[in-house]
Every structure is written in structure tokens, then in C-alpha cells.
């Protein structure tokens, strides 16, 4: 099935170093005003490039890129990411209620966190080609993986 | 056999006709070695890979990045039978180079991100999907001869 993602469930996460946190916070400060746009593009893209993710949104009228529900939800997701940046020193505690939401209500298969993370990184590369250096890329990749891990805490 | 839509075929041909192989190949490989440092295990003879700056300026990494992209061009030219086109490459990676095939996904992700940075807004969700499908076929073909 050629539309499966290059993702696997997050089996390993790598602890964020002080340098990683610094890099993430600095980069986030530059880009945070674009949060909603980043979220909208990442989500739009995910639904097209990894169509199996559409299964979570059967209740939306319109799943096409840039549609109203996609834009709204993209903004919601990125405000969660913004919250995670603020709570970067203790993601597990900081994202506790979001973890419970994903575990008990939304029940999103955790493999999808990696898919969405990849799409966020693609959007960052598109929107910030000079700032999204390999060093920033690795810090953001680790950070999003750590967020995904925190979101998966309550699953079982 | 993989079925390509006209859009997918045209998109892949278009992308590869426009990218600068000498820029994209090295950028993708060096990004992979930086973002997923364990991939450096396959490049023990490449000299200084100590940090991002060293990797980015390493001439062996750059040269090898071009080799990898030239390899991808074979798939672009034989989209209707990538599996057969890559049979020997698959054997090479499995038996001689002994690369863990999960690493193909890591390089593919980095290549996608480098391409996105190059193409900007032109890397629409639809173009992205076509590229993703192409890389998925490439990766599957490279995995095929592993046993």
C-alpha cells in the first residue's frame, strides 16, 4: 500500500538537552505568530499525503486543503504545540489533560503523531527555509517526538 | 505493478528536471546524518562528522549525496518498473553495505524536507503526495532483496 507513511509508532524518544530546549524556544519565538497558518498547512497536507488519517475526521463536511474545519483544527493543534513549548521542562505534567483527551476520548493511534509531526516539519521547511537549518530541524524533530510521547502517556 | 496517474508521472518528471542534483543530494544526506546521527554508522571512512558544520562541509558527504540522487534518477527514468531497476541496488544495500532498511525512510524524510525548502509554496499537498508515493515505491524496491 503505497500511501503508508514513513512513520512507525514512537518506540524511542530521546531526552531533550538544554541546547535542544534553547533551540526550540528561540525558533518558536520567531515563528509563533504564524502558528495558525502552520497548523492549517500541516493538517491539510497530512490529510492529502496520508489519506488514512482522514478516518479521524469523518464528522467534518470538508476535508480539502484550507477548508474551514481544517484551518480551525490546525490552529487548535498549534496552540497545543505552543503550550508544549511553554511547558518544555515537564511535558508529561504539562500535557496531562491533553494526553487524557487523546487517550480516552479521541483515541488517535499514536503512529499518527509521527505523521503529523513530519508534516509540521515539511511546512516549517517551506515557510522558513533559511531558519530551518539542520540544527533546528533535529531539535524540533526531537521536541515533537517528546510531545507525542507525552500525549501517549495515558494510553495504557 | 505501480499505477501512476498522469499528474503523478508529470510531477515526478518535473521535480527531477528542475532540481539541482549537486545541491539537493548533499543537503539531504548531510541533513540525515545531522538529524539522525546514528546513520553515520555507515560512513566510518568519511572523516570528520563531528558536528553539523563538519558534516555540511565534508566533501565526501557531498560527493556521496550526489551519488544517491543519481541513483534516484534511475527510478525517475523507469517509473513503471522501479522494482526491477533497483534489484541490484537492493542486493548491494543488503549484502555489501548492510544498511538497516529502516534508514531508507529517514533519508526519504530528509529528502522530502529539503525539497520542500527548495520548492516553497510550489510543494503543494498534491505535489507532496506524488513525491511521497514515489519515495515509498523506491524504498519498497530497495527493501525487496533483503532476506
Amino acid at each position: 500500500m503505497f500511501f503508508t507513511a514513513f512513520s512507525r509508532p514512537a518506540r524511542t524518544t530521546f531526552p531533550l538537552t538544554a541546547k535542544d530546549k534553547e533551540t526550540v524556544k528561540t525558533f518558536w519565538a520567531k515563528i509563533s505568530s504564524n502558528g495558525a497558518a502552520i497548523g492549517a498547512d500541516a493538517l491539510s497536507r497530512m490529510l492529502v499525503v496520508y489519506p488514512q488519517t482522514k478516518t479521524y475526521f469523518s464528522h467534518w463536511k470538508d476535508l480539502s486543503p484550507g477548508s474551514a474545519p481544517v484551518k480551525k483544527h490546525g490552529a487548535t493543534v498549534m496552540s497545543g504545540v505552543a503550550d508544549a513549548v511553554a511547558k518544555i521542562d515537564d511535558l508529561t505534567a504539562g500535557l496531562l489533560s491533553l494526553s487524557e483527551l487523546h487517550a480516552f476520548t479521541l483515541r488517535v493511534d499514536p503512529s499518527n503523531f509521527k505523521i503529523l509531526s513530519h508534516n509540521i516539519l515539511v511546512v516549517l521547511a517551506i515557510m522558513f527555509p533559511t531558519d530551518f537549518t539542520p540544527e533546528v530541524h533535529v531539535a524540533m524533530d526531537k521536541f515533537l517526538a517528546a510531545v507525542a510521547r507525552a500525549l501517549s502517556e495515558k494510553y495504557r | 505493478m505501480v499505477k501512476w496517474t498522469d499528474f503523478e508521472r508529470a510531477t515526478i518528471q518535473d521535480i527531477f528536471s528542475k532540481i539541482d542534483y549537486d545541491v539537493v543530494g548533499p543537503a539531504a544526506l548531510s541533513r540525515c546524518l545531522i538529524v539522525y546521527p546514528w546513520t553515520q554508522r555507515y560512513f566510518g571512512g568519511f572523516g570528520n562528522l563531528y558536528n553539523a558544520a563538519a558534516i555540511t562541509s565534508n566533501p565526501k558527504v557531498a560527493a556521496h549525496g550526489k551519488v544517491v540522487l543519481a541513483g534516484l534518477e534511475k527510478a525517475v527514468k523507469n517509473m513503471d518498473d522501479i522494482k526491477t531497476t533497483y534489484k541490484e541496488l537492493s542486493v548491494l544495500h543488503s549484502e555489501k553495505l548492510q544498511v538497516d532498511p529502516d534508514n531508507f525512510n529517514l533519508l526519504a524524510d530528509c529528502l522530502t524536507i529539503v525539497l520542500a525548502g527548495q520548492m516553497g509554496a510550489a510543494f503543494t499537498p498534491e505535489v507532496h503526495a506524488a513525491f511521497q508515493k514515489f519515495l515509498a515505491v523506491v524504498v519498497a524496491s530497495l527493501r525487496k532483496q533483503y532476506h
Side-chain angles (χ1 to χ4, degrees):
Chain A
M1 183 55 187
F2 296 118
F3 281 105
T4 43
F6 291 131
S7 64
R8 285 135 280 139
R11 280 188 297 263
T12 48
T13 44
F14 308 94
L16 297 175
T17 62
K19 182 166 177 246
D20 291 329
K21 292 180 190 178
E22 187 55 47
T23 304
V24 169
K25 284 194 243 186
T26 305
F27 183 62
W28 185 257
K30 273 190 197 165
I31 71 171
S32 58
S33 56
N34 297 88
I38 294 168
D41 192 354
L43 200 63
S44 295
R45 202 169 275 279
M46 183 186 80
L47 295 168
V48 170
V49 182
Y50 303 93
Q52 70 270 25
T53 58
K54 293 194 289 189
T55 55
Y56 291 97
F57 304 102
S58 51
H59 55 289
W60 285 355
K61 278 203 174 78
D62 184 357
L63 286 164
S64 58
S67 72
V70 168
K71 273 184 165 161
K72 181 163 178 267
H73 197 63
T76 302
V77 167
M78 290 313 280
S79 69
V81 172
D83 195 31
V85 174
K87 294 170 178 170
I88 202 168
D89 288 316
D90 193 349
L91 290 171
T92 304
L95 301 180
L96 189 62
S97 54
L98 269 177
S99 180
E100 286 173 347
L101 176 73
H102 285 76
F104 304 129
T105 309
L106 302 176
R107 288 173 296 187
V108 175
D109 188 294
S111 61
N112 294 285
F113 298 147
K114 189 158 200 300
I115 296 175
L116 182 55
S117 296
H118 173 67
N119 282 286
I120 290 172
L121 296 176
V122 169
V123 171
L124 294 178
I126 290 171
M127 288 176 74
F128 309 100
T130 35
D131 290 303
F132 194 63
T133 60
E135 294 89 327
V136 169
H137 178 169
V138 61
M140 285 304 294
D141 192 27
K142 287 175 72 176
F143 168 66
L144 291 174
V147 169
R149 179 81 171 81
L151 285 177
S152 310
E153 284 279 333
K154 288 294 178 193
Y155 270 62
R156 56 176 179 173
Chain B
M1 206 186 90
V2 183
K3 283 205 171 72
W4 302 99
T5 64
D6 290 341
F7 174 80
E8 285 164 349
R9 221 179 262 280
T11 298
I12 298 303
Q13 298 302 318
D14 189 56
I15 286 173
F16 280 87
S17 72
K18 290 191 173 131
I19 56 172
D20 185 345
Y21 284 44
D22 289 347
V23 168
V24 171
L29 184 61
S30 56
R31 196 167 278 254
C32 187
L33 295 171
I34 292 165
V35 178
Y36 307 108
W38 55 94
T39 57
Q40 292 169 25
R41 75 188 303 282
Y42 302 107
F43 301 99
F46 274 31
N48 187 1
L49 298 177
Y50 186 62
N51 56 32
I55 292 169
T56 313
S57 58
N58 185 310
K60 286 185 172 172
V61 171
H64 197 67
K66 296 177 197 177
V67 166
V68 168
L69 219 58
L72 270 180
E73 204 187 9
K74 279 191 204 171
V76 176
K77 294 194 160 125
N78 294 284
M79 279 177 74
D80 287 317
D81 198 359
I82 295 176
K83 197 166 66 178
T84 308
T85 305
Y86 273 5
K87 194 163 176 216
E88 282 162 21
L89 267 176
S90 179
V91 170
L92 174 77
H93 283 77
S94 130
E95 291 184 12
K96 183 163 179 254
L97 305 175
Q98 298 189 323
V99 177
D100 178 346
D102 279 358
N103 287 213
F104 300 148
N105 300 329
L106 301 180
L107 182 56
D109 281 354
C110 284
L111 181 57
T112 303
I113 281 168
V114 165
L115 190 67
Q118 292 264 312
M119 290 180 67
F123 197 62
T124 62
E126 293 77 11
V127 167
H128 181 174
F131 192 66
Q132 180 70 14
K133 179 174 168 179
F134 172 74
L135 288 181
V137 174
V138 163
V139 169
S141 303
L142 279 175
R143 294 186 86 117
K144 200 86 180 109
Q145 303 302 323
Y146 278 70
H147 59 88

